[in-house]
Amino acid sequence: MRYLFFVICLLYVIFSSLFAAEPKNIALNKDYTLVPEPEYRFTEDPLDYKQLTDGVKDKSLWYEQYRDKTVGWSSESIVDITIDLEEIQNVGTVKLFTVGGGRAQVEYPEYVLFLVSKDGVNYHLKGFVSPLLEGWHFGEYKSSLNRVSKAISCRLNSRCRYIKLLIRPFATMFFSDEIEVFAAKEKLSDTNGTVLTKSLAIEFAERLMQLNRNKSNLQNNINKSGLKLEELKMKLSGFEKRLKELRLDAIDSGKLNALEKLFGIIRAEYLNKLYGTEWYCVNSDYLDLLKYEDLPEGPKAGLKLDFYCWQGERSIKAFNIVNSTEKIMEYNIKISPIKNKEDYIPSEAFIVPRRGVYVFSKSTGFFVDPMVLQGGKPFQVKPGEVVQISLEFNSKNLQSGAYKSAVLVESNTKGTKENQLLPINIHIPDKVFPSELEFMNCCWDFFTRGNGFTKRVPSHAISDLERHLVNVTIINHSNIFETNRNAANPFARVQVSQSLMRELRRRKYADFVLLFLCFGERRQKMFGEDFLSKQWNYRFGYFIKKLVSEMQINGFSYDNFAIYPYDEKLDDDFIGVAEAVKNADSKVNVYCNSVGEGDADIEKAKDLVDIWCFPLGTAVKHPDWLSLAEENSKSVWSYGAPSKKSFAFRGESRNITSSRLFYRTAPIKSEALGLKGAGFWTYVYETDESSFNNITTRGHGIVYDGRNVPEDAIYEPIVPSKRWQQWREAVEDAVALKGHQNLLEEFMNKPEEEITSEYITNLRKRADKN
């Protein structure tokens, strides 16, 4: 009996200690903030600010019966969740419950950063977890196993009150139903490490992810090479070990810098062993994406640059410089005079060298996009790095014929190889590019809107837009409406903005103006509380008449502008506003960039819309809708919006219309479809987020703030992206290929992977021979 009593007591002590060891969820029912607001409509509800700490977990199956337990986001670059524990506590482990596996493009996050703070202002980076690097299942939905939510767990061991989770979604959507924060078993010290801003924390993570991509790509190439590179493999293995050992709770930018430098040296050694040269140049297709981890082709004989363009047209060719030494190399680019028979012409006015700069994209990593003006200024190339040089040739008033030049790539760094010469062949046919385009080239050019950097230098933006052949401009509502709510006369409460005249004067480069009313509930109420009532229509019609008068005073006839009521909307509200416009003045053009639900909605609006602008993918997929829209309209255009963050999506699950080739092919495809123009969103993002290497950028902007230009480049206020340069090339090709329907149809049927710069050039040559 005594023995039994002893056993019972022992079991009691054991079980008591086990239960006492169970950590407490100190985040239960605590408040938290969400940036941005969760907006996935099938999970969005008023309880989104309770569900993540309500204690109900394992319910992240958003696509079934648990949507009301889940918080969801769509198409966000970073999701920021900050939990307030209400007092400073000893925090052990944090768990974030989420779901992925590929069904309906829902994936686990690419990574999660965990930061802690005592005051909610100064944050310390304490943890980094990447399901992608840990081998979680990413891809197509295949089994019920992928329907089970998983927890991303990170041990923080910190004294803090606030816990911030910075979540990088991998694909379109991210979902969570619960976050648990467990108290630490022991008392912790107050040391938390270096204070970091949100952007610096994300930059650290992205550089870490990029190093993993670099390592994986090089590893694969070494294995495929068939070379006996055991020593190099050992170096790469050691690099991989150091990479895994890098812990963010002891963040050290010096260690990260050292790892990046080490990888460059390892890659340079591989390239040197493979090709046996310190550095070399190689042709590059300008329409291809150049990612940082991509290994270049080797040196080839007969390297040259061939330009083919009409008189008064631009053309771009590119080549890469590859540094396969262990040291930083410095180079100069020099262009020889242009030779035509026995005559020599200075090349500076005709050929402009630009250098590609690596910037970050959510779905691509670091890739070349800004093209900084280089001129003859020397620049550096790191060990193992590939740098792209583009030569922008402007034929200007050169007569038809054959011309020759050369580009000298000169090394300023002591070594066995001093320079490399690339011949340049220029052919100008007996064709002149038109000074006035019939093709409507449009981008949403809000260069004076918001806090964007182009607002500081609108004259430079105007010059840049002219150089890229933009002939359709968009004036935003902020430069159209001017309100005076205190006016006694209701017709005086909404007037045409005084800034409209200034904007029209600025936009003389354009042949056509879209007046973007951007109607929403607030602007609808400007003309009366009862939207589309008789009184509302009367006041709105009076405003339209005043607006038309202002346009005509400034030299814009009915054929030179259109009212753009809503963005990407075709419903009863759009039809009501369009009818009100036509009732006020039947000659005014109405623009619509939506097809609604398809043919039924197009049918309803076809007598009201003068200019349609179809999403390019829709135009390709639904020629019957195009025909319906063309029945009564004056013109049909196309547009698209692949952003910088989705310029080249890593996965195949997301089908963006020609994400790789969009900017280079959209105008040509529009011409092939018989459309009168093409455009995209947008010239510049509203804020300064189009600056160099802004890790959190979400915008679709295609120019960069020149204030951030690298020191070894020439300053210019606005730096074009490769995409912006490609768009101009595509517009030129669309104009030149007009009427050659057999070639355009061939282009449309060409597999995307077979479309190259050389193919498009040959298409142009074939058209000119006809």
Side-chain angles (χ1 to χ4, degrees):
M1 191 71 178
R2 183 182 301 172
Y3 177 75
L4 180 62
F5 177 76
F6 174 76
V7 170
I8 291 171
C9 290
L10 182 61
L11 288 173
Y12 175 79
V13 170
I14 292 171
F15 279 108
S16 296
S17 64
L18 286 174
F19 283 117
E22 183 71 22
K24 178 183 177 183
N25 178 12
I26 54 178
L28 192 62
N29 297 320
K30 295 296 193 297
D31 289 336
Y32 52 85
T33 59
L34 304 173
V35 180
E37 296 283 327
E39 86 304 351
Y40 184 70
R41 61 192 179 99
F42 294 120
T43 64
E44 190 178 7
D45 59 62
L47 294 178
D48 279 347
Y49 283 86
K50 299 290 183 184
Q51 291 159 356
L52 291 182
T53 57
D54 62 3
V56 181
K57 58 185 178 181
D58 292 334
K59 304 296 183 186
S60 290
L61 308 183
W62 61 273
Y63 37 79
E64 292 181 351
Q65 67 266 42
Y66 300 117
R67 290 180 174 178
D68 61 339
K69 309 291 185 189
T70 302
V71 184
W73 289 262
S74 176
S75 301
E76 298 296 344
S77 290
I78 287 287
V79 173
D80 180 337
I81 303 174
T82 305
I83 299 172
D84 182 0
L85 300 176
E86 298 177 356
E87 62 181 353
I88 295 173
Q89 301 202 47
N90 294 313
V91 174
T93 300
V94 176
K95 288 186 177 181
L96 167 70
F97 290 83
T98 185
V99 68
R103 179 172 177 175
Q105 303 176 35
V106 177
E107 297 285 11
Y108 301 111
E110 184 170 339
Y111 63 77
V112 181
L113 290 162
F114 297 84
L115 297 90
V116 300
S117 173
K118 291 180 180 178
D119 57 10
V121 176
N122 300 301
Y123 280 89
H124 308 267
L125 183 57
K126 294 295 291 183
F128 167 84
V129 179
S130 172
L132 189 66
L133 296 181
E134 292 185 4
W136 289 28
H137 175 84
F138 285 77
E140 294 302 316
Y141 170 77
K142 292 179 181 178
S143 74
S144 60
L145 292 176
N146 297 325
R147 299 166 65 184
V148 178
S149 66
K150 291 187 178 183
I152 296 174
S153 181
C154 184
R155 188 156 185 82
L156 302 186
N157 282 350
S158 297
R159 279 182 56 75
C160 60
R161 171 176 171 173
Y162 299 92
I163 299 173
K164 182 184 290 291
L165 284 67
L166 298 176
I167 302 152
R168 173 73 81 193
F170 178 77
T172 307
M173 288 169 280
F174 166 71
F175 297 94
S176 179
D177 72 299
E178 190 71 13
I179 299 174
E180 295 179 326
V181 179
F182 296 105
K185 296 179 184 178
E186 67 280 0
K187 188 175 180 181
L188 302 171
S189 67
D190 283 335
T191 304
N192 273 325
T194 308
V195 173
L196 281 182
T197 62
K198 177 177 172 178
S199 60
L200 283 175
I202 296 169
E203 180 181 354
F204 194 96
E206 293 299 345
R207 288 168 65 189
L208 198 61
M209 296 298 293
Q210 183 64 52
L211 278 172
N212 278 279
R213 287 191 289 272
N214 295 347
K215 180 264 302 178
S216 297
N217 196 45
L218 181 57
Q219 218 162 33
N220 292 336
N221 276 272
I222 289 174
N223 293 336
K224 290 177 183 176
S225 70
L227 299 175
K228 293 182 179 180
L229 303 171
E230 299 307 317
E231 185 178 345
L232 193 62
K233 288 179 181 178
M234 287 178 61
K235 289 181 180 179
L236 193 57
S237 178
F239 171 82
E240 184 175 14
K241 183 178 178 182
R242 288 179 61 180
L243 191 58
K244 287 180 179 178
E245 289 173 351
L246 187 63
R247 293 288 182 262
L248 299 190
D249 57 357
I251 184 167
D252 185 339
S253 58
K255 287 184 180 179
L256 184 59
N257 293 338
L259 276 180
E260 288 171 335
K261 183 177 180 180
L262 175 61
F263 174 79
I265 291 171
I266 294 171
R267 183 161 66 175
E269 184 178 344
Y270 169 71
L271 292 171
N272 192 281
K273 289 182 181 297
L274 202 59
Y275 302 123
T277 182
E278 288 186 333
W279 65 271
Y280 61 94
C281 299
V282 62
N283 273 123
S284 175
D285 193 331
Y286 194 65
L287 60 77
D288 282 342
L289 190 76
L290 177 57
K291 295 186 285 186
Y292 194 86
E293 65 266 28
D294 289 345
L295 286 176
E297 292 183 352
K300 293 181 179 179
L303 182 64
K304 60 180 180 178
L305 302 170
D306 292 329
F307 290 95
Y308 180 91
C309 61
W310 290 3
Q311 297 170 55
E313 185 187 355
R314 286 176 166 86
S315 182
I316 296 173
K317 297 296 177 183
F319 64 93
N320 294 338
I321 301 174
V322 183
N323 178 8
S324 50
T325 73
E326 295 186 2
K327 55 191 175 186
I328 295 174
M329 300 288 287
E330 186 178 88
Y331 298 93
N332 281 329
I333 299 294
K334 296 180 179 179
I335 313 289
S336 74
I338 297 171
K339 181 181 179 183
N340 175 226
K341 296 180 181 178
E342 299 304 318
D343 295 330
Y344 287 88
I345 308 166
S347 59
E348 289 81 0
F350 298 93
I351 302 176
V352 176
R354 290 184 176 274
R355 173 167 56 98
V357 176
Y358 287 95
V359 290
F360 174 77
S361 160
K362 169 195 168 184
S363 49
T364 312
F366 288 90
F367 75 108
V368 167
D369 197 42
M371 304 303 295
V372 297
L373 193 61
Q374 194 62 48
K377 197 169 182 179
F379 59 94
Q380 294 184 336
V381 181
K382 297 174 185 175
E385 191 174 51
V386 179
V387 165
Q388 186 167 86
I389 302 295
S390 71
L391 299 183
E392 181 181 334
F393 172 66
N394 184 353
S395 62
K396 294 187 176 180
N397 56 354
L398 291 177
Q399 298 301 305
S400 60
Y403 299 81
K404 290 187 179 295
S405 181
V407 55
L408 178 69
V409 182
E410 186 178 61
S411 170
N412 297 338
T413 308
K414 188 176 181 181
T416 57
K417 181 175 179 177
E418 293 183 357
N419 55 55
Q420 184 166 350
L421 192 70
L422 286 70
I424 297 174
N425 299 315
I426 301 166
H427 182 71
I428 302 175
D430 190 16
K431 300 272 188 179
V432 179
F433 195 80
S435 56
E436 298 291 333
L437 299 188
E438 293 181 8
F439 189 87
M440 307 308 287
N441 180 17
C442 173
C443 66
W444 276 248
D445 54 352
F446 301 140
F447 58 86
T448 59
R449 179 182 175 188
N451 298 316
F453 58 83
T454 54
K455 187 176 182 180
R456 299 190 308 269
V457 283
S459 60
H460 293 286
I462 290 164
S463 175
D464 186 52
L465 289 162
E466 283 186 295
R467 283 198 303 272
H468 287 80
L469 309 177
V470 173
N471 58 2
V472 178
T473 188
I474 299 176
I475 296 183
N476 195 40
H477 61 88
S478 59
N479 296 120
I480 298 172
F481 295 114
E482 198 167 280
T483 58
N484 179 6
R485 295 178 183 176
N486 298 322
N489 185 345
F491 292 98
R493 289 173 191 165
V494 184
Q495 294 291 327
V496 177
S497 174
Q498 293 295 309
S499 64
L500 177 63
M501 287 186 291
R502 180 193 64 216
E503 291 302 308
L504 290 173
R505 284 195 299 270
R506 279 175 170 163
R507 296 161 192 269
K508 289 296 184 182
Y509 63 87
D511 300 318
F512 198 89
V513 176
L514 293 177
L515 297 168
F516 185 24
L517 305 187
C518 193
F519 263 143
E521 186 176 348
R522 182 175 67 84
R523 273 180 288 281
Q524 287 169 181
K525 288 183 177 180
M526 286 179 179
F527 302 98
E529 289 295 321
D530 298 323
F531 179 51
L532 295 180
S533 65
K534 184 177 180 180
Q535 183 190 57
W536 190 96
N537 281 317
Y538 194 49
R539 292 178 182 173
F540 176 67
Y542 178 80
F543 174 80
I544 289 294
K545 290 176 182 178
K546 295 284 287 182
L547 184 58
V548 170
S549 176
E550 195 67 50
M551 294 299 292
Q552 292 175 337
I553 289 170
N554 283 275
F556 288 88
S557 70
Y558 286 110
D559 293 331
N560 298 119
F561 73 93
I563 300 296
Y564 174 9
Y566 291 92
D567 188 47
E568 297 186 332
K569 180 175 179 175
L570 178 56
D571 57 8
D572 290 342
D573 286 353
F574 178 94
I575 289 173
V577 172
E579 286 177 339
V581 170
K582 292 294 186 180
N583 288 335
D585 189 336
S586 61
K587 295 179 183 179
V588 174
N589 292 312
V590 173
Y591 168 93
C592 179
N593 66 339
S594 172
V595 295
E597 296 298 321
D599 49 4
D601 285 342
I602 296 171
E603 181 70 41
K604 288 180 191 176
K606 69 178 185 179
D607 293 333
L608 296 166
V609 175
D610 302 280
I611 300 170
W612 292 91
C613 193
F614 273 49
L616 181 57
T618 302
V620 173
K621 191 175 180 180
H622 293 284
D624 53 327
W625 294 2
L626 272 181
S627 298
L628 185 60
E630 288 169 344
E631 283 183 13
N632 292 348
S633 68
K634 296 178 180 177
S635 190
V636 183
W637 311 343
S638 77
Y639 81 104
S643 68
K644 187 168 68 174
K645 67 178 181 180
S646 61
F647 186 45
F649 194 71
R650 279 202 297 274
E652 296 300 323
S653 60
R654 192 179 191 182
N655 182 22
I656 299 171
T657 304
S658 300
S659 63
R660 167 181 165 264
L661 298 176
F662 172 80
Y663 294 93
R664 188 62 182 89
T665 63
I668 305 173
K669 288 182 177 180
S670 298
E671 185 63 54
L673 293 167
L675 306 182
K676 305 301 181 184
F680 61 90
W681 180 273
T682 179
Y683 177 68
V684 63
Y685 200 53
E686 286 182 46
T687 69
D688 285 320
E689 290 187 359
S690 290
S691 61
F692 283 70
N693 239 4
N694 189 317
I695 299 299
T696 58
T697 187
R698 296 179 57 234
H700 303 76
I702 45 80
V703 295
Y704 293 82
D705 187 348
R707 291 183 303 173
N708 297 307
V709 71
E711 290 183 4
D712 58 358
I714 297 171
Y715 170 74
E716 59 180 336
I718 294 172
V719 176
S721 67
K722 277 183 66 173
R723 295 165 291 141
W724 190 212
Q725 303 285 67
Q726 287 173 350
W727 182 267
R728 179 177 57 202
E729 295 254 292
V731 169
E732 291 170 335
D733 292 333
V735 170
L737 291 169
K738 182 179 181 180
H740 301 276
Q741 201 58 35
N742 59 326
L743 297 178
L744 288 167
E745 287 175 6
E746 175 192 313
F747 180 85
M748 293 295 284
N749 293 322
K750 191 81 171 174
E752 189 168 293
E753 62 274 11
E754 295 180 20
I755 295 178
T756 63
S757 293
E758 185 179 6
Y759 168 73
I760 297 174
T761 300
N762 287 332
L763 212 62
R764 289 280 306 271
K765 290 179 180 179
R766 288 163 60 192
D768 288 346
K769 286 180 181 179
N770 292 345

